Amino acid sequence: MSELYDLTIVGGGPAGLYAAFYAGMRDMKVKLIEGKEVLGGFLHHYAEKTIWDVGGIPPLRCEQLIERLSAQARTFDPTILLGRRVDTLERLERGAYRLRTDDGQSHDTRTILVAVGRGITEMTKLDIRGADRYELTNLHYTVQNPESYRGKRVLISGGGNSAVDWANELVGIAREVIVVHRRPEFGAMERSVARMLEMADVRTPYVLRELHGSGDAIRAVTIGHADDEEEGTGIERIDVDAVVVSHGYTRSYGDLLAWGLEIGQHGVRVSDQTATNLPGIFAAGDCATYANKVKLIAGAFTDAVLAVNSAMRHIDAEAPGMAYVSSHNEKFREMNKRLKRPL
């Protein structure tokens, strides 16, 4: 029989990492299982993007936020397992659960927090014949290093937050930024769209029709009006040095679907206290859906706190409703002393 934990967190993104920290504040015995070999979740897709909207933190890159969240999560020494995918769920006696991972190991726990973010995600690839031949050179589905585009003529295809943010980030680095979107409206923050319209060469409603390569790199593209039924009308050929495609992504919850969780169009359905339809199992972050959901990293932190508090009350109905705030919490007394010591 495997060791019994109070809380097992499935997923190592912002919600899972903050939950590991906060559960430590509640003296819970915590295990976190992450399917990839690194912590951070979906943030890795945008490691070089700058985040402005985490309260009290100045603008910083996603990769820096991942580092800080990972360090915070380890404050109370939870057990962290990387590169292991949770496959099956089994109900044990007295309300506990047993999780099994793809390495054949079992993990017993009193409660579970599902924090799998957007699930198993795959970027939507460009649906043009032969596009895949350029993926190792200058056809990209994310912007990992903006400096690699310096002095180049870059075409971005897409109209969501990522496409607009990348356009704004590359303006001033690239020689020229051209944005192609199939609709006149953009699905991004109004301020970001306004800046893009002012700074970039925006073409709507247009779509990519053809890639023109020389060797293993794209040298030009053909775009055309999205509302033209015939692809040969309303076309324009544009010379480019790089193409960035941001057409969204597909997501799947894989083996979670077999657990019996109630899953809707936007994720796992939970109560206002993050409880799923299965007793002792909670959900937080991008994978959880409920009325008035806040789809920000800050919202994931709130979800995590609610979930941990709910898990604690599931284990002990007489437990306090929340952890004592850190500014007056005895758990941090020695840590605070070390912070104040001169170097």
Side-chain angles (χ1 to χ4, degrees), residues 307-326:
V308 170
N309 288 337
S310 295
M312 191 70 192
R313 286 194 296 271
H314 179 83
I315 295 171
D316 179 4
E318 301 300 320
M322 62 178 291
Y324 206 51
V325 295
S326 62

Side-chain angles (χ1 to χ4, degrees), residues 9 11-13 17 31-41 44 66 70 74 78-86 101-103 105 107:
I9 302 165
L17 291 172
K31 177 182 286 185
L32 185 151
I33 305 174
E34 164 58 43
K36 295 183 179 179
E37 295 291 344
V38 292
L39 296 170
H44 282 284
I66 292 170
S70 300
R74 297 179 189 275
T79 298
I80 296 179
L81 304 179
L82 300 177
R84 304 191 197 186
R85 190 184 71 247
V86 175
T101 45
D102 57 356
D103 60 353
Q105 298 296 309
H107 311 271

Side-chain angles (χ1 to χ4, degrees), residues 209-227:
R209 297 288 192 199
E210 193 174 352
L211 306 177
H212 307 284
S214 174
D216 60 355
I218 302 168
R219 302 303 179 192
V221 301
T222 294
I223 65 174
H225 286 286
D227 53 3

Side-chain angles (χ1 to χ4, degrees), residues 269-287:
R269 291 195 177 101
V270 299
S271 71
D272 58 2
Q273 297 299 311
T274 74
T276 71
N277 59 304
L278 299 180
I281 300 183
F282 308 89
D286 280 345
C287 71

Side-chain angles (χ1 to χ4, degrees), residues 199-259:
M199 305 296 291
D201 180 1
V202 178
R203 313 286 186 91
T204 64
Y206 273 86
V207 295
L208 279 172
R209 297 288 192 199
E210 193 174 352
L211 306 177
H212 307 284
S214 174
D216 60 355
I218 302 168
R219 302 303 179 192
V221 301
T222 294
I223 65 174
H225 286 286
D227 53 3
D228 284 339
E229 294 184 3
E230 296 183 17
E231 294 187 3
T233 60
I235 63 172
E236 180 180 354
R237 180 170 170 142
I238 302 172
D239 292 335
V240 296
D241 299 305
V243 174
V244 178
V245 175
S246 180
H247 292 174
Y249 58 91
T250 59
R251 71 178 183 178
S252 167
Y253 291 111
D255 294 312
L256 286 181
L257 297 174
W259 289 16

